[in-house]
Amino acid sequence: MKPSVITIEPNGHFCSDCAVRASAVCSSLDPAELREFEHLGRRVHFSSGETVFSEEDITTSFYNVLEGVMRLYKLLPDGRRQIVGFALPGDFLGMNLSGRHNFSADAIGAVTVCQFAKAPFGRFIEDRPQLLRRINELAIRELGQARDHMVLLGRRSADEKLAAFLLGWRERLLALKAPSDTVPLPMSRQDIADYLGLTIETVSRTFTKLERHGAIEIIHGGISLLDPARVEALAAA
Amino acid sequence: MKPSVITIEPNGHFCSDCAVRASAVCSSLDPAELREFEHLGRRVHFSSGETVFSEEDITTSFYNVLEGVMRLYKLLPDGRRQIVGFALPGDFLGMNLSGRHNFSADAIGAVTVCQFAKAPFGRFIEDRPQLLRRINELAIRELGQARDHMVLLGRRSADEKLAAFLLGWRERLLALKAPSDTVPLPMSRQDIADYLGLTIETVSRTFTKLERHGAIEIIHGGISLLDPARVEALAAA
DNA sequence: CGTAAAATTGATATTTCTCAATGAGAGTGG
DNA sequence: CCACTCTCATTGAGAAATATCAATTTTACG
């Protein structure tokens, strides 16, 4: 939310040894293309709570998340907030039709992104259909996630919402880190509430309830999944 | 839900005078391409209530809606249903990454689709990046709609949900028909409830409430927007 | 017409929210 | 190093919104 103090790394970064090389949009590029692509992106750091872009801002850049977690959200005029997703390394942000962002994005903890100016990136895509195809794949994947989330928001109880969230979040982290029954939760309870369409109090009570039932243990900065099967049963599919 | 009795139109249909020519995926094709494309699609009719495809079915075709309205939905194992969207003429259905549909689609009233077998359609796209770009545009548009809908499901009251639905639905029809304060609602109250994350009783009561307040009039097969400004105020953004 | 399905309405139950108080952890300055 | 303060999280009590259950009423259809 503070004005963002941007650090632009001068040089010394190569796509070829980028952490998200294999999973991000750039996975569609061959080594030669990658060297050209390298000149388009700049690594930019954001610290905890900084806003990377805001809803309704004119889109000047696209972003590839390299490190950290971001919250993506929309606000109603009266301040109610709905988090529409959390972005993790490999996620590509900024695509839209209107020329304006249709949600806001903040860093949760320290974040590094690879930032591309819109125009040169657009030109680069122009004659690289396989990059376009990759972007399309990511969009379709997100659309699937969005639909799953609609089911959660519209048809699940508070218990089911939290259980499904914990499992889904663990699942996403699995693609990035070694599997573990310890699930780090870098976002606040309020973030979780705004993601699940609940209040912070309900989220807190539901955590406590899951813990009392022996399904999880609340630890510092996350939870420990004591009884994954039980949490899965609670998530009801 | 009944097994679908499919009628395949033999011939006599040309993309060039298709109703959705200007808005659908095919708007990206030039006349020469269009003649080739013509051989890929078949017009197929579905009658009210028929299922066009089901979640988890292996994707064998893509669909371009030509006429009518479809409900797109996901079911939880215990039968709870969330409608993730209504498809209208010009909408393109069936894209996914897994090779299986990730939602089900039923006809609401009579529906005509242009059906494309997956493999030949895939091959046709292969060397037509502008078609891919068009598909990507449609995906991004849907993603935006999905995010808006998450806000509705997670953060709006029943009154706001219904008001926002009526305005949004009117808006979508506006692109297809002449603007009118009479808003046809071909879907059932249950469909509306499952779209808004409410029960049918709450939807019914909220309609009645809007009518008592003079904001709308409930008419056969739809509503009349008596006081659009008031409904907009209720929708709260 | 008569029957079935859909929609409405009412009474009550339940879930989740709201408001309020308390507790715990992180960082700061004495 | 310790009080202080700030933010975040938890807990409790009561209120409100929406769901559930049940009964009509209306509409659709054979």
Side-chain angles (χ1 to χ4, degrees):
Chain A
M1 305 283 183
K2 303 171 284 180
S4 64
V5 179
I6 296 179
T7 309
I8 297 176
E9 303 254 324
N11 286 81
H13 283 296
F14 299 100
C15 287
S16 51
D17 43 56
C18 174
V20 302
R21 165 80 179 100
S23 61
V25 277
C26 25
S27 67
S28 60
L29 301 172
D30 64 36
E33 289 173 316
L34 207 59
R35 274 190 297 281
E36 202 183 327
F37 192 60
E38 213 150 57
H39 301 298
L40 296 177
R42 293 189 109 62
R43 282 190 190 214
V44 184
H45 299 286
F46 292 88
S47 43
S48 194
E50 284 189 296
T51 297
V52 177
F53 56 83
S54 288
E55 188 173 0
E56 304 298 317
D57 279 357
I58 292 185
T59 305
T60 57
S61 298
F62 301 127
Y63 306 86
N64 213 349
V65 182
L66 302 185
E67 271 184 75
V69 182
M70 300 173 66
R71 61 174 160 256
L72 315 179
Y73 59 96
K74 294 173 71 93
L75 295 171
L76 290 175
D78 63 3
R80 281 175 287 177
R81 183 176 73 157
Q82 176 66 43
I83 291 184
V84 297
F86 294 105
L88 286 175
D91 286 340
F92 185 71
L93 303 175
M95 297 299 297
N96 61 71
L97 298 182
S98 62
R100 291 175 183 276
H101 289 290
N102 43 37
F103 54 84
S104 305
D106 298 342
I108 295 177
V111 162
T112 308
V113 301
C114 188
Q115 179 170 17
F116 304 95
K118 181 178 166 170
F121 187 87
R123 265 179 265 118
F124 186 82
I125 291 186
E126 207 65 45
D127 32 276
R128 279 161 188 97
Q130 77 286 15
L131 176 55
L132 180 56
R133 208 167 300 129
R134 181 69 188 134
I135 288 174
N136 194 230
E137 276 175 16
L138 295 181
I140 289 171
R141 190 180 64 183
E142 285 214 40
L143 198 43
Q145 288 169 354
R147 287 179 178 130
D148 288 341
H149 202 57
M150 286 187 216
V151 179
L152 178 145
L153 290 171
R155 286 292 177 236
R156 295 176 113 113
S157 69
D159 291 3
E160 292 169 337
K161 283 176 175 181
L162 190 62
F165 165 67
L166 292 175
L167 295 172
W169 182 248
R170 179 173 75 146
E171 191 68 19
R172 285 189 71 193
L173 295 183
L174 214 118
L176 301 170
K177 312 185 203 296
S180 162
D181 281 347
T182 298
V183 185
L185 297 173
M187 68 290 286
S188 69
R189 293 288 191 265
Q190 186 63 64
D191 287 341
I192 296 174
D194 288 347
Y195 183 58
L196 301 179
L198 299 170
T199 59
I200 185 175
E201 294 93 334
T202 299
V203 168
S204 188
R205 279 187 250 273
T206 307
F207 265 113
T208 306
K209 188 160 130 192
L210 284 177
E211 187 172 45
R212 264 202 303 265
H213 289 24
I216 65 169
E217 186 186 2
I218 300 170
I219 58 179
H220 182 73
I223 60 125
S224 184
L225 259 188
L226 300 181
D227 190 348
R230 188 180 184 110
V231 178
E232 269 157 46
L234 265 168
Chain B
M1 304 286 181
K2 300 173 286 182
S4 64
V5 179
I6 297 178
T7 310
I8 299 173
E9 303 253 324
N11 287 79
H13 283 295
F14 300 101
C15 288
S16 51
D17 44 56
C18 174
V20 301
R21 167 80 178 101
S23 61
V25 277
C26 25
S27 67
S28 60
L29 302 171
D30 64 37
E33 290 174 315
L34 208 60
R35 273 190 298 281
E36 203 183 326
F37 192 58
E38 212 151 57
H39 301 298
L40 297 178
R42 295 189 108 62
R43 284 193 188 212
V44 184
H45 299 286
F46 291 89
S47 43
S48 193
E50 283 188 298
T51 297
V52 177
F53 56 83
S54 288
E55 189 174 359
E56 305 298 316
D57 278 358
I58 291 185
T59 305
T60 56
S61 299
F62 302 127
Y63 305 85
N64 212 349
V65 182
L66 302 183
E67 274 184 73
V69 182
M70 298 172 66
R71 63 175 160 253
L72 315 179
Y73 59 96
K74 292 173 74 90
L75 295 172
L76 290 174
D78 64 1
R80 281 175 288 176
R81 183 177 71 159
Q82 177 65 44
I83 290 183
V84 296
F86 294 105
L88 286 175
D91 287 340
F92 184 70
L93 304 175
M95 297 298 296
N96 60 72
L97 298 181
S98 63
R100 292 174 183 275
H101 289 291
N102 43 37
F103 53 84
S104 306
D106 298 342
I108 294 176
V111 162
T112 308
V113 301
C114 188
Q115 178 170 16
F116 304 95
K118 181 178 167 171
F121 187 86
R123 265 179 265 120
F124 186 82
I125 291 185
E126 208 65 46
D127 31 275
R128 279 163 189 94
Q130 76 287 14
L131 176 55
L132 180 56
R133 209 167 298 129
R134 182 67 187 137
I135 288 174
N136 194 228
E137 275 175 17
L138 295 181
I140 289 169
R141 189 179 66 185
E142 286 213 41
L143 199 43
Q145 289 170 354
R147 287 179 178 128
D148 288 342
H149 203 55
M150 286 186 215
V151 179
L152 179 144
L153 289 171
R155 285 293 176 238
R156 296 176 113 112
S157 70
D159 290 5
E160 291 169 337
K161 283 176 174 181
L162 191 62
F165 166 67
L166 293 174
L167 294 172
W169 183 247
R170 180 173 73 147
E171 191 68 20
R172 285 190 70 193
L173 295 181
L174 216 118
L176 302 169
K177 314 185 200 299
S180 162
D181 281 346
T182 298
V183 185
L185 297 172
M187 70 289 287
S188 69
R189 293 289 190 265
Q190 185 64 63
D191 287 340
I192 296 174
D194 287 347
Y195 183 58
L196 300 179
L198 298 171
T199 59
I200 184 174
E201 293 93 333
T202 300
V203 169
S204 187
R205 278 186 251 271
T206 308
F207 266 113
T208 306
K209 187 159 129 193
L210 285 177
E211 187 172 46
R212 263 201 305 263
H213 290 25
I216 66 168
E217 185 185 4
I218 299 169
I219 59 180
H220 181 74
I223 59 124
S224 185
L225 260 188
L226 300 180
D227 190 348
R230 188 183 184 108
V231 178
E232 268 157 46
L234 265 168

